[in-house]
Amino acid sequence: MRLGAFVHLIDELEMKGLVGEWPASMNVALCVSRESCTPVVFHSGEAEEVLDRVSERLGLPVGAFAATHRVEGIPYRSLLFSEEQELHRLTLESPGLVEQARDHAINFAFAQEEGLDPGLVTRPAERSTEPRSWTLAPSAEDRPPAPQPAAEPGRSFPEGYRLLREEDHGALLLDVSIACSEDWVSLSCGPEEEQAIHAVEADSVALRKDFGGLFLPHDAYADLGDDDIAFRLLLPCEAFPDCMLDRIGAAGRSGVATVTRDGIFVSFGEAVSAPKPVIRRWRLPVAQRAAALVATSFVFSALLGAALQAGLDGRPAEVVSALDGAVAQHVAD
């Protein structure tokens, strides 16, 4: 309701995270109006034609509806994290969506093998049936809370905890550095010279209730890859309360980032302490030190001999004075 009519694209990678058996190279353009949602499945090779199909489903010319990704000539609308999660839920509830995507993928492959226009092979079949759409659910304010599924006997966990899932084996735990500048909070991982820099929008930064951590959804940053991850995410300071900015401080903090299919969870670690100054003593080179030692020993021996000779001649005061002078000179050398 806040955004009006718009299209939300869910690519193959995101769909595989939502539906494990999702066919390869298939994507979803979710056509959203004030009354309903209509998913349009399309192959990656049909990306240039998908806006025309969205226009047909919404009944609006291209440019009269918005998009949640940046497209030239189309108004851009950003989504809140909660809104995106609601769209994903609606997508999963679409009847027969996986079967429709499989049929489309098979028809597209057949058209390519036979040298036919994929649009002529795939789209007539879709038009022969009623568009697969469903009515939007009431807003969170109007909708009663959904009943929680009953926990298994003996399986009671605190909020935020759950059993291991198969996809959890692909998660990563990374040591990160968190620093604060005038405009940005930077989240860095890996060697600085190898870091890929990504700026994150303020409305994509979700804060933990106790301000002890944060969450970034998967589409808030570019694909970080799987190997040798090195990145620096720039988060606007306006997305953080003053207490979190003060806790990070100018010196920064360490942290741990958990990278999952849903996004990145970040928890704060210890404050970064300033390095202790290194005191460097000035020393002569080895050759010069050896020469100075020989010279000092020679002078000390000469002074000591003079003092002993004075003692033999019956001049004890001169002995003490000579010895004091010899020691003082040796120490100075």
Side-chain angles (χ1 to χ4, degrees), residues 2-6 66-69 74-79:
R2 180 178 70 87
L3 300 174
F6 66 95
T68 59
H69 61 293
I74 303 293
Y76 172 72
R77 296 289 186 272
S78 62
L79 287 179

Side-chain angles (χ1 to χ4, degrees), residues 189-197 228-231:
C189 178
E192 183 175 357
E193 63 276 6
E194 299 177 9
Q195 291 174 357
I197 301 176
D228 301 327
I229 291 181
F231 60 85

Side-chain angles (χ1 to χ4, degrees), residues 48-259:
E48 295 183 358
E49 298 87 21
V50 70
L51 284 179
D52 292 333
R53 298 169 61 187
V54 170
S55 174
E56 293 178 6
R57 292 295 175 90
L58 289 176
L60 296 171
V62 175
F65 54 87
T68 59
H69 61 293
R70 299 191 184 277
V71 182
E72 185 177 356
I74 303 293
Y76 172 72
R77 296 289 186 272
S78 62
L79 287 179
L80 299 175
F81 177 67
S82 58
E83 292 171 332
E84 183 181 21
Q85 294 302 302
E86 178 70 7
L87 290 179
H88 286 175
R89 183 189 68 80
L90 290 171
T91 302
L92 292 177
E93 293 179 358
S94 175
L97 184 63
V98 176
E99 292 75 9
Q100 184 184 1
R102 284 181 183 151
D103 293 343
H104 191 107
I106 293 172
N107 291 335
F108 185 88
F110 173 78
Q112 284 192 317
E113 292 175 0
E114 299 297 327
L116 304 175
D117 181 1
L120 298 177
V121 176
T122 59
R123 297 186 66 184
E126 294 177 358
R127 289 172 179 168
S128 62
T129 59
E130 291 296 323
R132 300 171 185 258
S133 63
W134 64 103
T135 303
L136 283 174
S139 64
E141 291 76 9
D142 302 329
R143 186 172 58 244
Q148 298 296 323
E152 297 180 32
R155 294 290 189 271
S156 178
F157 301 104
E159 183 180 357
Y161 293 80
R162 58 171 173 75
L163 295 173
L164 178 70
R165 297 174 181 173
E166 182 64 29
E167 62 267 22
D168 294 338
H169 295 296
L172 297 173
L173 283 173
L174 305 174
D175 292 323
V176 295
S177 299
I178 307 169
C180 184
S181 64
E182 183 177 354
D183 299 317
W184 303 95
V185 170
S186 65
L187 182 68
S188 305
C189 178
E192 183 175 357
E193 63 276 6
E194 299 177 9
Q195 291 174 357
I197 301 176
H198 307 284
V200 178
E201 295 184 5
D203 61 2
S204 294
V205 181
L207 306 178
R208 209 167 73 184
K209 292 181 179 179
D210 62 357
F211 299 142
L214 58 98
F215 171 75
L216 304 174
H218 184 270
D219 65 349
Y221 51 87
D223 184 13
L224 301 180
D226 297 324
D227 302 319
D228 301 327
I229 291 181
F231 60 85
R232 180 151 56 111
L233 301 179
L234 300 178
L235 318 178
C237 286
E238 63 190 73
F240 296 87
D242 292 339
C243 62
M244 291 185 74
L245 298 178
D246 293 341
R247 181 170 177 80
I248 297 171
R253 307 186 75 87
S254 63
V256 176
T258 305
V259 183

